[in-house]
Amino acid sequence: MIRNERFKLVKRFPYGPDEFYDLSSDPQEEVNLIDAKQYQAEIKTLYQKMIAWFNRYADPAIDGTREAVSGSGQLKLAGAKGDGQNVYRPIKQHMFE
């Protein structure tokens, strides 16, 4: 996730669903504008800034961007340190806790 004073972009790697909000007109984040044509330039700019940050600071050994994120939360380290195990909480498990 990356945001600035007006916009918020949520990328779910690698398959989505992704989200984009105009916080000035939708502070409760109720209207996902990810497909709105008028925001594609802003989405691209925020995405490029997010990738630049990850390229600079993220540890490749625990990078989960190439994993299919699923469920409703992360249980343990992703990437190589996840030892090939499912690191995400199943939706059903989370719903009944």
Side-chain angles (χ1 to χ4, degrees), residues 86-97:
N86 183 5
V87 300
Y88 303 103
R89 179 190 318 263
I91 292 174
K92 284 183 182 179
Q93 177 183 345
H94 183 69
M95 289 174 55
F96 298 107
E97 288 184 346

Side-chain angles (χ1 to χ4, degrees), residues 14-95:
Y15 306 117
D18 301 328
E19 300 171 41
F20 180 77
Y21 301 100
D22 182 342
L23 301 172
S24 65
S25 63
D26 182 19
Q28 300 302 316
E29 302 174 15
E30 296 176 335
V31 180
N32 184 359
L33 301 169
I34 195 70
D35 294 321
K37 291 184 183 194
Q38 68 267 34
Y39 293 109
Q40 294 308 303
E42 186 65 38
I43 291 169
K44 182 178 179 181
T45 298
L46 285 174
Y47 178 72
Q48 289 171 334
K49 287 180 181 181
M50 181 170 48
I51 294 302
W53 187 94
F54 273 99
N55 287 341
R56 183 170 181 178
Y57 297 107
D59 179 351
I62 56 173
D63 178 10
T65 60
R66 290 171 186 80
E67 296 180 3
V69 177
S70 61
S72 59
Q74 189 169 330
L75 298 169
K76 50 191 159 190
L77 293 176
K81 291 190 177 183
D83 294 325
Q85 299 175 25
N86 183 5
V87 300
Y88 303 103
R89 179 190 318 263
I91 292 174
K92 284 183 182 179
Q93 177 183 345
H94 183 69
M95 289 174 55

